[in-house]
Amino acid sequence: MAETATPANPETLRAARRSPASHLAPTFESGSVAGTVALKEIPFQTMVGVRVDRASDAGARLASVTGGLPAACGEVSGDERATTLWLGPDEFLVVAPESAHDSLGGDLVRALVEALGDDPGQVVDLSANRTTFELSGIRARDVLEKGCSLDLHPRAFRTGTALATEIGNIPAMLLKTGEDSFRIFPRASFADFLGRWLLDGMREFASPEVP
Amino acid sequence: MLLISCPNCGPRDETEFHYGGQAHVAYPENPDALTDRQWAEYLFYRDNTKGAFAERWVHSTGCRQWFNMLRDTVSYDIQAIYKMGEPRPDANTTAATTSEGATK
Amino acid sequence: MSADHLPEHPDFLWRNPEPKSSYDAVIVGGGGHGLATAYFLAKNHGMTNIAVLEKGWLAGGNMARNTTIIRSNYLWDESAAIYEHALKLWEILPEELEYDFLFSQRGVMNLAHTLGDVRESVRRVGANKLNGVDAEWLDPQQVKELCPILNISDNIRYPVMGATYQPRAGIAKHDHVAWAFARKCDELGVDIIQNCEVTGFLKDGNRVVGVQTNQGTIHTEKVGLAAAGHSSVLAEMAGFRLPIQSHPLQALVSELHEPVHPTVVMSNHVHVYVSQAHKGELVMGAGVDSYNGYGQRGSFHVIEHQMAAGVELFPIFARAHVLRTWGGIVDTTMDASPIIGTTPVENMFVNCGWGTGGFKGTPAAGLTFAHTIATGTPHELNKPFSLERFETGALIDEHGAAAVAH
Ligand SMILES: [Zn+2]
């Protein structure tokens, strides 16, 4: 259960942080191919792990904070304020902008902790557990398909759905945010590996297509 | 590569799963009462069936849930997938309880 | 090193007799272990009225599927004793069997990639020395001197932090080993019967008195099971259980290359082991597949994992081609040590559970198993490897030294 103390000066804290793939930022930029495929890190999103029985009272209370809890594999619920991904039948990942974090003036973690109350379940601040990559462009799917064996064709993998799977042999969450845009949530320790893997997969699209 | 239908997530590559050995092996109700032979049986002896074998798998990089699977250990055909706690189905009836995953 | 010339193939290897109606002993399994057992039964114990039954063709199971590595650098006293005895037998067998099966003592390196590996390896070198097993600890530079094609850069996922090295270890030509034993067995009067599958056992009370086969019933006073990959199936037929799980273990070879790899390199940590066979092909082994299987094939991702590790350690292999991949079925025990001894069935004996390490143990398995069958009691060397150890708790945990994890 998260007890997130608010430090005296949030800006000091902010300035001191380094995101898991920050060292790759220039490489992501130079490796992106305008109009074709682009990769960037969206650092420091607020993420909260929730475990609860959806059908319970606590489940209903938590759902009212998050704007719903997804019912099945692939489903995503919520709005711009917070997006909730289905991780398992009783396990969810709430993803929200950086500013939603309690240490930066938000109240997401506290609200979730309060909603669960003393009922069976779990609310854990996992903001430092994963980072977020955004892979976008007309070749984004081609890049992903080099390291992910899911059927990523639009008829099978629809915008607004998310799946826990393997990308480049490492576990990651994959969220489809638009026809040609994806968000990937690798654990922090895999960020360097996955970042380089994706860059490698993007490389061919920087060259002219061989007819 | 086995293609395993997780009851929660649908068909996924074997690499997303971990193997958990023989299914339906109950922890002894009263371990203190067992003879050395019985304890050895519980600890070290598992069926090593050539043919239809009930085994446990966990969808490690997916929903992280355990389930049971009936698989032929010669052809590697998956004959049934069923929940933890459910009894083993007959080898001949295909009782796959794959729920609709979002990939479909 | 230059590519060796294969020795002249002998004109005659063995007869293909019809099974007799009875034998003094029957060995089930015509692989390396079964043939070695028959050889030592005949040579050391004068038992020549015996048969080796093989359900397929001779040495077509794991004897045809292993990566031919021979070493004895095991951790515990019991294991070091039996594997070192095997190694000493390997050293004299070509002469004794009058057959050059190309035992090449080119050394075996076991790489260490983590601090944990390093500590475990250095400890093992110490244990080996105390047991009279030749063992050395090599730093990365010494590793590179012995095997120049190894990548010892510290900028790889699992850098080489050193290695144990056993100079007397090496490889042999596996099919020639089987033929060498088979020829001598035949000379000594042993009947080798191929395409003879055991379908059941005849028992008088709890005593085995014969075997039923697809070639008829064969009466016998003693039965020795040496059928790696099928031990559990035979035990079940005979009415007892073994603490064994059977898993696919995969290997592969490349096309032939000029000699580039002077020794044998194994890595438990990244699950790959590589040598260059006499004709020039690179022979590589992988880890076991996680699931139980009898299909003599495994999953592709295991091969992919092995190749990734292989290419990182040996960048020179990146342009080699895979010629063939295959799988064998290994019978694994919970302590990664074999079982050689008596069974709950009277006059029935079992030699099984060698996991990924059966080939190197072949001569000692044969010697001790023959002793056990002939005398009814285990040899000093296989006494610790009894089936009872799973009840007494006197396990011999060789997970650290038994090649790859299982
Ligand atoms: Zn699942």
Side-chain angles (χ1 to χ4, degrees), chain B residues 1-2 14-15 19 22 36-37 40-41 43-50 53 57 71 73-76, chain C residues 230 232-233 241-246 248 290-295 297 299-301 334 387 390-391 395:
Chain B
M1 175 83 79
L2 306 178
E14 175 197 331
T15 51
Y19 185 61
Q22 187 185 351
D36 285 352
R37 174 69 206 169
E41 287 269 348
L43 218 49
F44 298 120
Y45 285 74
R46 290 294 180 272
D47 290 347
N48 192 20
T49 311
K50 188 180 181 185
F53 185 52
W57 288 80
R71 187 179 57 92
T73 57
V74 181
S75 68
Y76 302 164
Chain C
H230 263 81
S232 300
V233 176
R241 282 181 104 195
L242 287 170
I244 274 182
Q245 300 283 285
S246 299
S290 65
Y291 49 76
N292 290 21
Y294 286 91
R297 66 189 192 284
S299 292
F300 183 72
H301 67 91
M334 286 287 200
L387 191 52
F390 296 94
E391 264 171 73
L395 302 177

Side-chain angles (χ1 to χ4, degrees), chain A residues 86, chain B residues 6-10 17 59 62-65 67:
Chain A
W86 184 96
Chain B
C6 169
N8 294 305
C9 308
F17 299 84
H59 191 189
C63 61
R64 305 204 291 178
Q65 302 293 305
F67 56 91

Side-chain angles (χ1 to χ4, degrees), chain A residues 79-98:
Chain A
D79 47 36
E80 325 74 65
R81 219 169 52 85
T83 304
T84 305
L85 280 54
W86 184 96
L87 297 188
D90 61 357
E91 189 173 10
F92 311 92
L93 184 68
V94 184
V95 183
E98 184 184 2

Side-chain angles (χ1 to χ4, degrees), chain C residues 294-306:
Chain C
Y294 286 91
Q296 291 189 322
R297 66 189 192 284
S299 292
F300 183 72
H301 67 91
V302 175
I303 292 281
E304 195 182 8
H305 180 92
Q306 164 208 27

